[in-house]
Amino acid sequence: MTDSFDVIVIGGGPAGYPAAIRAAQNGLKAACIDDWKNRDGSRAFGGTCLNAGCIPSKAMLESTELYHRAQVEFQAHGILVEKLGLDLGTMQKRKGEIVKQLTGGIGALFKANKVEGLQGRGRFLGDGKVEYTDTGGKKKTLTARHVVLATGSTPIELPSVPFDGKAIVDSWGALEFDAVPGRLGVIGAGVIGLELGSVWRRLGAEVTVLEAMDQFLWMADEQIAREAARHFKKQGLDIRLGAKVQGAKKGKSGVTLSYEDKGGRQELTVDKVIVCVGRRPYSDELLADGTGVTVDKRGFVEVDEECRTGAKNVWAVGDLVRGPMLAHKGTEEGVMVADLIAGKIAEVNYEVIPSVIYTAPEIAWVGKTEAQAKEAGIDYKTGSFPFAPNGRAKAIGQAAGFVKIIANKRNDAIIGAHVIGPMAGELVSELVVAMEFQASVEDIQRTVHAHPSLAEVIHEAALAVDRKALHGVNR
Ligand code: FAD
């Protein structure tokens, strides 16, 4: 192995590994150092996303949604199941296999692109030098013309509710339960809390979600958040807002969480607790003294729009830097940096990054909420259209929710789009592309959408912006 590279990427998650691949595609000699260690001691590229985040959570969401639908919907299709059963072991095994296939695929991609994949720890020493400690503990100093920091993030621990890996766990632990908890407490009604709460609720757990904020899904459009709250309530998720958790006590009957809400001091006893109160950037032991890289008070490496740190030829991407903690945001930053290093023109459009919550119904959006449009002083117009009259939604038996489009009245440009309903995470892509190409509402109105398809609801919502929806009341 050579010790000298054009680009060394520290961190092999969805921000880091694509940066290394693109650097190699650009003809640069690239290495990617990654430290991920699974609970069984095995090593794998892919970071949080592939090993403990996006992928295993989506695998569990799919399996549990199927189980739930088999219970409540199959009969209406005329499918009679004599005795529906749950084999959690097989469900977990399936999830593990998906993770393994995808993480293993990164090794193959590295090989195909001639990226040097190095398992172990990286530490930036400054001046183009990176200390690499291999999995056996042996140290070596590598050099690079450019260094990309991509060490991601880690769950925030509440000092009053410390993780014990058994009864009080983080999101990774919550994906690994080997039995369905009878009573489950989830601290935090953010994206991860709602997804994990849904997984275990569908398998029969009594789920209570404690959220410190008074507003539900503050980051989503208010109308969407209201609709989502209605569905989650119907599904039996007990979401308590304004509930500030103060402590946890373990006893024979489970874990008793104490919290304060409008009604005063409250207690909740559960069998397991998932703490999902957010993630913090992970830069522990990443930087030697005097590298010139600045880390802010919250632990984020400071970067400009192009992900340059203050130090020459040192870049940082993904959850380690400002912006939404999302895999696709990190990937685009990594690719942008690798292109900029190769002297190409590249950028990330931070105004057009989609967010998805993979609950049922799914929730997805891009751009501004109505409140943000109002706050920005934009003279806007909106159009909404429900899935209820849509033929495809009816055929698949998932006709809850709606699409809402927000546009600038002055030039008809789409400035925000919000979907709650079936396959929202897929549907939102049309609106992402539209916004990226600065499409007007009329562009969507005049685009032919296949029939019958869920995307027709986007078409109708665009028509509804100008009160021209064909199959329902214009809102
Ligand atoms: P990470 O994925 O955290 O990767 C960083 C890597 O760097 C890790 O492998 C780490 O071990 C390694 N590392 C750290 N320090 C060093 C070092 N010094 N030397 C070498 N290696 C080091 N996002 C979405 O977009 N969609 C989703 O559906 C989604 N679902 C999620 C579900 C859950 C339960 C969780 C927890 C997260 C989810 N996320 C989702 C968020 C997503 O996982 C992160 O935004 C994404 O993984 C960040 O990518 P990253 O490459 O910046 O960091």
Side-chain angles (χ1 to χ4, degrees):
M1 183 192 109
T2 174
D3 295 350
S4 157
F5 296 88
D6 293 316
V7 181
I8 293 179
V9 182
I10 308 179
Y17 82 77
I21 291 174
R22 175 54 60 87
Q25 286 171 342
N26 285 335
L28 301 168
K29 209 170 170 31
C32 180
I33 306 175
D34 186 75
D35 189 28
W36 187 272
K37 200 173 172 184
N38 285 309
R39 299 245 152 99
D40 62 3
S42 63
R43 301 273 177 169
F45 287 99
T48 307
C49 173
L50 268 70
N51 289 289
C54 323
I55 301 304
S57 60
K58 264 80 259 179
M60 289 301 279
L61 279 157
E62 186 61 27
S63 296
T64 58
E65 177 63 5
L66 279 180
Y67 178 65
H68 175 72
R69 295 188 71 193
Q71 280 176 319
V72 301
E73 288 177 22
F74 275 20
Q75 220 175 340
H77 288 264
I79 304 169
L80 305 180
V81 181
E82 286 272 300
K83 189 172 169 276
L84 190 69
L86 174 68
D87 176 356
L88 184 58
T90 299
M91 199 180 273
Q92 290 284 21
K93 194 164 153 252
R94 174 184 178 272
K95 175 201 76 184
E97 278 160 7
I98 293 168
V99 167
K100 223 173 178 169
Q101 281 162 15
L102 293 177
T103 54
I106 297 174
L109 288 173
F110 279 176
K111 222 171 169 183
N113 286 285
K114 298 194 175 61
V115 171
E116 188 87 53
L118 301 171
Q119 268 153 344
R121 256 191 114 67
R123 184 162 179 258
F124 181 52
L125 302 175
D127 214 10
K129 290 192 181 63
V130 172
E131 179 186 79
Y132 165 54
T133 309
D134 70 18
T135 52
K138 220 166 114 204
K139 289 186 193 305
K140 195 174 196 181
T141 301
L142 310 176
T143 59
R145 288 197 301 113
H146 291 265
V147 174
V148 182
L149 309 173
T151 51
S153 62
T154 192
I156 293 174
E157 185 166 13
L158 282 178
S160 58
V161 191
F163 298 128
D164 67 5
K166 286 192 179 91
I168 305 174
V169 299
D170 62 13
S171 54
W172 193 7
L175 286 163
E176 312 256 298
F177 290 154
D178 55 12
V180 180
R183 300 160 302 170
L184 176 65
V186 180
I187 307 180
V191 177
I192 296 174
L194 290 172
E195 288 186 358
L196 294 175
S198 296
V199 162
W200 296 107
R201 174 72 202 130
R202 291 167 190 170
L203 297 184
E206 206 176 277
V207 179
T208 310
V209 187
L210 302 176
E211 167 57 52
M213 293 186 63
D214 293 320
Q215 192 187 345
F216 180 59
L217 280 183
W218 60 271
M219 62 291 203
D221 188 87
E222 246 182 84
Q223 220 179 320
I224 298 277
R226 267 201 308 274
E227 175 81 358
R230 204 170 62 77
H231 287 284
F232 296 148
K233 197 171 170 197
K234 231 164 80 186
Q235 289 161 15
L237 282 177
D238 178 359
I239 300 171
R240 302 183 188 174
L241 299 175
K244 295 170 186 70
V245 176
Q246 289 164 335
K249 219 179 185 169
K250 284 186 268 180
K252 272 193 192 134
S253 58
V255 184
T256 300
L257 294 169
S258 49
Y259 64 95
E260 189 102 11
D261 66 9
K262 272 189 202 134
R265 203 181 139 80
Q266 317 282 353
E267 283 192 344
L268 171 75
T269 301
V270 290
D271 303 304
K272 300 259 187 202
V273 178
I274 313 174
V275 182
C276 299
V277 293
R279 297 178 63 82
R280 66 168 177 88
Y282 182 73
S283 55
D284 301 11
E285 296 167 38
L286 174 65
L287 302 165
D289 290 339
T291 59
V293 176
T294 317
V295 177
D296 74 12
K297 270 192 223 145
R298 293 160 64 205
F300 289 102
V301 167
E302 288 185 0
V303 288
D304 65 11
E305 281 267 300
E306 293 185 326
C307 293
R308 294 172 205 271
T309 69
K312 190 164 175 254
N313 292 349
V314 185
W315 314 71
V317 294
D319 282 9
L320 185 61
V321 304
R322 83 288 174 262
M325 284 186 167
L326 291 170
H328 42 283
K329 172 260 191 188
T331 299
E332 291 312 316
E333 287 180 335
V335 167
M336 168 181 74
V337 162
D339 281 344
L340 290 172
I341 289 172
K344 299 186 173 178
I345 293 168
E347 64 171 5
V348 171
N349 183 357
Y350 288 97
E351 297 295 314
V352 186
I353 296 179
S355 295
V356 184
I357 309 178
Y358 294 84
T359 45
E362 265 182 30
I363 302 164
W365 69 91
V366 57
K368 289 190 174 16
T369 62
E370 196 171 336
Q372 286 165 344
K374 206 174 278 173
E375 202 180 305
I378 299 169
D379 190 10
Y380 66 89
K381 51 184 181 176
T382 70
S384 302
F385 199 83
F387 283 93
N390 176 267
R392 186 81 205 281
K394 278 218 178 320
I396 64 171
Q398 295 184 58
F402 60 91
V403 174
K404 172 175 177 177
I405 293 177
I406 306 170
N408 193 322
K409 249 190 195 168
R410 189 176 52 80
N411 58 8
D412 203 37
I414 301 166
I415 55 170
H418 307 264
V419 186
I420 179 165
M423 305 304 275
E426 304 297 323
L427 290 173
V428 79
S429 289
E430 174 181 349
L431 296 153
V432 174
V433 174
M435 283 181 69
E436 189 62 42
F437 281 76
Q438 298 177 348
S440 65
V441 173
E442 190 183 351
D443 288 324
I444 304 261
Q445 291 173 348
R446 296 202 182 276
T447 300
V448 181
H449 290 71
H451 175 76
S453 70
L454 297 172
E456 286 175 296
V457 181
I458 292 178
H459 190 217
E460 290 278 12
L463 291 167
V465 172
D466 295 322
R467 303 297 172 258
K468 294 191 292 195
L470 295 167
H471 294 93
V473 182
N474 284 288
R475 280 176 231 270

